[in-house]
Structure formats: structure tokens, C-alpha cells
Amino acid sequence: MGEDKHHADYANISSSLSKEETLQHILDSYSALASDTTNWVANLSNCSSLLWHAYHSLNTPVNWAGFYVRSKPEELILAPFQGKVACQIIKFGSGVCGTAASSQKTQLVPDVEKFPGHIACDGETKSEIVVPIVKDGQTLGVLDLDCLDLNGFDKVDQEYLEKLAELISETCDWTKL
Amino acid sequence: MGEDKHHADYANISSSLSKEETLQHILDSYSALASDTTNWVANLSNCSSLLWHAYHSLNTPVNWAGFYVRSKPEELILAPFQGKVACQIIKFGSGVCGTAASSQKTQLVPDVEKFPGHIACDGETKSEIVVPIVKDGQTLGVLDLDCLDLNGFDKVDQEYLEKLAELISETCDWTKL
């Protein structure tokens, strides 16, 4: 990084960028940051910050941006995030995050109230997208974004966030999970 | 938790509380949340959220609230936080965080520009407090708060944040650090 550039500047994202440019900024910034370390906690912590600030630069009212990781064979535990305090433990197959973890398929949920067995960590959340992070056929965790509006996310978000989940899978050392 | 209470409600803190009451709310909420899990990543993730929302309820312009943990014998690595993207690796003895880690003493810094060797992750930070987290004489990590104002923190913050660091040391399983 140049002498006048601070790490925080990765989170200063122009609101004049298109949605695709903003989402590409997340991918590029994540890659640059992950070239410094393979530590998964450090990388997911900075990635949560990138996601939070990128979506806010798009005026999407994201109220939670972060991760759950696999702690036991069929259980997720809370990992780095930005937003309000969250549920710590989610069983595979339970709610939106648990369904993404067990099915290894992205869950794009326009209205969380209509999702069977939705777990409400925050009663204000209206829509959600959860993308599984997979390596060698195993679920490592999930990337989770919540929004205060209905229909907060679409296929464009899904496309870029799935690329981000792949990058995350490849760039981190997962042996200490 | 009662049926109508969500985890996010721990971060909904009345702005009518005194500073001492707000800081006590952090301690009480952290203890309640840590009774569910000893996972250090989950506990520091929720703790960062508590700190962020508590200081914002006091109208203190905290721009970073979170943690670094020991990764190698004399090195800190970025851990869960709320705020903008941050530096990933800090050597013991380097900057405010590294000094707290090596000295095992709280660093209360009214003006970061006057701290010898200050590492600027964000050029906007004006003041900082860093509290070491110690167990059995070993530094496990540091709790770090940055503020956009000079003199953002005082001895009252130090008192409560040192109690929080003790709670964190006691309540987490640190074997997978």
C-alpha cells in the first residue's frame, strides 16, 4: 500500500459506482487484503467490513453482514460480522443459514417471514441472502447478509457473493477452524 | 431469552443511560452471551457489536471497536471488530496495540499523533484506548477502541474496559488461538 493509503480506505467506497462496480470492489479488495495473511478470522473480519460499507454505499439498508463457520460436524457458530448482536449457534438444516449450510446452495430470501423455520436474531430483518462456503465438498461456513427492506438482494448479488465465497474458501487456512 | 427478545436487542441501548450504566450494560450483556459458548471468535464478534452500539448510544464517535489476538509469540493478528477495514498484523511493541500487548498495561491515548510509532490504520482516528487481555501472565490479545475526537476515552472507560478484558480472558476457550 502507498504511504498515504490507509487500510480503512478500502471501506471508503464512492456512492457513484454502479452495483456491479461496487460488488467487484469487494472482490478486488478482499483479494488484495487476503494476500497479506491466510488467517481466516482476520480475513473474515475485514471482509465483513468490506461488505457492510459496500452495501451502505449502494444505499441498501443491510443491517447485518458477516459469517458463521462450522464448529461441529452439523453445527454453525457465529464468526466475524458487522451489525447488531447475533445468535451464536445454528444447527445445519435450521433456518436460512442452516439450510444453506446443509444444502450447499445459496438461499435468496425476499421475505424471511415466508421462510419455513426462519431464526430471527433481529426482528427488524425483512430479507436475507446466505451463500455457503465450501471446500472439497465440505461446508466450511456461510456468508450471511440481512436487509431491513423486502427483496433486498437479487441474482446480481448472488453472482458476486458466490464468487466471494469461492475466494474465501481458497485464500484461508481452515485447519484451525 | 424470552420469546419476544432477539439477540439484536442487546445492541439496542437507551441513550438515556449514564456512561457508567452503559458500560455496565456491556459487562452484563457480555456475561449473558458468553454463558452460551466458550468459542472466542463468537464471543469477540458479539462483544465488538456491544462495544460499538454502546459507545454510539453515548454519542462517542467511536470509529473502530474490536480486537487483535496473539498469532505468533510476539505478533498480533486482526480479530473480530466493527468499523472500517484494518491492518492485519502488528508486532508486539509496535504502535498503541503492540505496546499494550508487550507491556500488558492499558494504553490511554488522548492524541494518537503524539504516540511514538503510532500505526494509522485509519487517518481519521484522533484518540484511542487499548486494553491487554491476559491469562496466566501471557498476553492473549488486546481490546482496541478508536475515536474520531481527541480525548475520546478517560479513566472511567479504562476501569470498565479492564473489567471486560478480565471477563473475556476467563470466559473463552483459548486453546485454538
Side-chain angles (χ1 to χ4, degrees):
Chain A
M1 226 176 307
E3 275 193 24
D4 294 332
K5 169 122 176 150
H6 297 109
H7 277 73
D9 294 332
Y10 282 110
N12 295 331
I13 302 161
S14 167
S15 57
S16 65
L17 298 183
S18 70
K19 178 162 172 170
E20 285 79 359
E21 288 169 333
T22 301
L23 296 173
Q24 187 62 45
H25 170 87
I26 299 175
L27 297 178
D28 296 343
S29 301
Y30 177 81
S31 293
L33 290 161
S35 69
D36 289 342
T37 178
T38 60
N39 183 287
W40 70 268
V41 180
N43 283 338
L44 298 191
S45 296
N46 267 339
C47 193
S48 301
S49 177
L50 284 171
L51 287 163
W52 179 270
H53 291 93
Y55 275 93
H56 283 261
S57 80
L58 293 170
N59 286 319
T60 305
V62 163
N63 59 323
W64 205 89
F67 298 89
Y68 284 83
V69 296
R70 196 189 63 222
S71 51
K72 297 180 184 171
E74 297 282 311
E75 199 170 281
L76 296 169
I77 192 148
L78 182 65
F81 70 91
Q82 305 241 343
K84 290 184 184 173
V85 170
C87 312
Q88 294 106 319
I89 296 164
I90 298 175
K91 300 274 181 203
F92 273 41
S94 177
V96 185
C97 285
T99 301
S102 57
S103 68
Q104 300 188 339
K105 290 203 171 104
T106 295
Q107 304 295 307
L108 181 55
V109 183
D111 180 352
V112 294
E113 293 299 329
K114 294 187 179 155
F115 193 93
H118 165 61
I119 301 166
C121 290
D122 185 345
E124 293 190 339
T125 297
K126 293 282 192 297
S127 60
E128 184 166 4
I129 185 167
V130 182
V131 180
I133 302 167
V134 178
K135 186 162 195 160
D136 302 331
Q138 293 265 323
T139 299
L140 297 167
V142 300
L143 184 169
D144 182 14
L145 292 175
D146 294 347
C147 183
L148 295 174
D149 286 348
L150 292 169
N151 303 299
F153 309 102
D154 62 19
K155 291 285 179 190
V156 176
D157 300 288
Q158 179 171 349
E159 181 193 337
Y160 282 87
L161 295 175
E162 287 179 351
K163 281 186 201 163
L164 181 60
E166 259 183 68
L167 274 177
I168 290 168
S169 165
E170 290 161 8
T171 50
C172 298
D173 172 7
W174 297 101
T175 53
K176 274 214 219 167
L177 199 62
Chain B
M1 225 175 306
E3 275 192 24
D4 294 332
K5 170 119 176 153
H6 297 109
H7 277 74
D9 294 331
Y10 282 111
N12 296 330
I13 302 161
S14 167
S15 58
S16 66
L17 298 183
S18 71
K19 178 163 171 170
E20 285 80 359
E21 287 169 333
T22 301
L23 297 173
Q24 187 62 45
H25 170 88
I26 299 174
L27 298 178
D28 295 342
S29 301
Y30 176 81
S31 293
L33 290 161
S35 69
D36 290 343
T37 177
T38 60
N39 184 288
W40 70 267
V41 180
N43 283 339
L44 297 190
S45 296
N46 267 339
C47 193
S48 300
S49 176
L50 283 172
L51 287 163
W52 179 270
H53 290 93
Y55 274 93
H56 283 261
S57 80
L58 292 171
N59 287 318
T60 305
V62 162
N63 59 323
W64 204 90
F67 298 89
Y68 284 84
V69 296
R70 195 189 65 221
S71 51
K72 296 179 184 171
E74 296 283 312
E75 200 170 278
L76 295 169
I77 191 148
L78 182 65
F81 70 91
Q82 305 241 343
K84 290 184 184 173
V85 171
C87 312
Q88 293 105 320
I89 296 163
I90 298 175
K91 301 272 182 204
F92 273 41
S94 177
V96 186
C97 285
T99 301
S102 58
S103 68
Q104 301 189 337
K105 291 204 172 105
T106 295
Q107 303 297 306
L108 181 55
V109 183
D111 180 352
V112 294
E113 294 299 329
K114 294 186 179 156
F115 192 94
H118 166 61
I119 301 166
C121 290
D122 185 345
E124 294 191 338
T125 298
K126 294 283 191 298
S127 60
E128 185 167 4
I129 185 168
V130 182
V131 180
I133 302 168
V134 178
K135 186 163 195 158
D136 302 330
Q138 292 267 322
T139 299
L140 297 167
V142 299
L143 185 170
D144 181 14
L145 292 175
D146 293 347
C147 183
L148 295 173
D149 287 347
L150 293 168
N151 304 298
F153 309 101
D154 62 19
K155 291 285 179 191
V156 176
D157 301 288
Q158 179 171 349
E159 181 193 336
Y160 282 87
L161 295 175
E162 287 180 350
K163 282 186 202 164
L164 180 61
E166 259 183 68
L167 273 177
I168 289 168
S169 165
E170 291 162 7
T171 50
C172 297
D173 172 7
W174 298 101
T175 53
K176 275 212 221 170
L177 199 61

